[in-house]
């Protein structure tokens, strides 16, 4: 077989493969235009208002608690834990708990640490670290969301506080 014949044969194979790819793309566009594929956006974490999983072992009864799902390898997690430690001095702040799937890093924090608990990450649907779950005094989840920074933790706590009526 000479070079021209080989090149011609290879060109026809490439054209056939491209035709298959284009037909697949046309089929997907057709399905999308008919509304055949609909995805409902999912909010990560436990649904607000539902009972907090493993509440008996994680929460102090009758006290609002902030569960922080952290990773030992995550620098932002360490910053969030430091921020929680600073906020711990504020009596209006919920009692924080740091939860690790593996071993917790050696830190000098006043925040109680729960480590070696990957089951809690699953139970609370903590899809990324750092992840915060605010549990009310009733034992029901108030908020559940990923955190991107210590500022996000401050915002979460500020947004979750009941608004104070202004004095006239």
């Amino acid at each position: 077989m000479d070079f021209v014949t080989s090149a011609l044969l290879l060109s026809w194979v490439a054209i056939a493969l491209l035709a298959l790819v284009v037909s697949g793309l046309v089929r997907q566009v057709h399905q999308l235009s008919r509304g055949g594929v609909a995805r409902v956006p999912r909010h990560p974490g436990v649904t607000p208002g539902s009972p907090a999983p493993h509440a008996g072992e994680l929460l102090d009864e009758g006290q609002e608690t902030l569960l922080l799902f952290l990773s030992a390898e995550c620098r932002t997690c360490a910053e969030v834990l430091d921020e929680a430690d600073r906020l711990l001095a504020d009596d209006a702040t919920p009692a924080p708990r740091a939860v690790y799937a593996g071993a917790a890093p050696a830190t000098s924090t006043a925040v109680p640490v729960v480590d070696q608990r990957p089951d809690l990450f699953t139970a609370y649907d903590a899809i990324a670290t750092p992840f915060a779950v605010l549990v009310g005094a009733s034992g029901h989840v108030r908020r559940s969301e990923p955190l991107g920074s210590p500022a996000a933790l401050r915002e979460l706590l500020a947004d979750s506080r009941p608004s104070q009526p202004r004095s006239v």
Side-chain angles (χ1 to χ4, degrees):
M1 197 185 307
D2 65 341
F3 175 75
V4 174
T5 307
S6 298
L8 186 62
L9 184 60
L10 189 59
S11 297
W12 279 108
V13 169
I15 290 170
L17 288 174
L18 283 174
L20 288 173
V21 168
V22 168
S23 69
L25 289 174
V26 168
R27 188 177 320 118
Q28 285 182 348
V29 168
H30 183 65
Q31 280 184 330
L32 288 172
S33 65
R34 285 187 303 152
V37 178
R39 292 197 174 113
V40 177
R42 184 181 81 80
H43 179 75
V46 177
T47 306
S50 59
H54 302 278
E57 59 187 286
L58 289 175
L59 313 175
D60 293 332
E61 193 171 323
Q63 185 177 5
E64 193 172 43
T65 305
L66 174 67
L67 299 174
L68 296 171
F69 291 86
L70 308 171
S71 171
E73 299 83 28
C74 168
R75 183 174 35 171
T76 305
C77 295
E79 293 169 358
V80 166
L81 183 60
D82 289 342
E83 184 65 23
D85 202 27
R86 279 191 289 281
L87 294 172
L88 189 59
D90 183 7
D91 289 338
T93 302
R97 299 266 189 285
V99 181
Y100 290 89
T107 59
S108 58
T109 180
V111 176
V113 174
V114 177
D115 63 349
Q116 305 292 344
R117 294 298 304 269
D119 60 312
L120 294 177
F121 278 71
T122 303
Y124 281 90
D125 194 23
I127 59 169
T129 57
F131 194 88
V133 178
L134 184 62
V135 181
S138 65
H140 289 81
V141 173
R142 290 184 52 207
R143 287 187 69 174
S144 175
E145 61 191 58
L147 299 174
S149 67
L153 175 62
R154 288 189 298 272
E155 280 180 35
L156 176 126
L157 292 173
D159 291 347
S160 66
R161 288 189 182 120
S163 58
Q164 299 293 328
R166 288 190 279 169
S167 58
V168 181

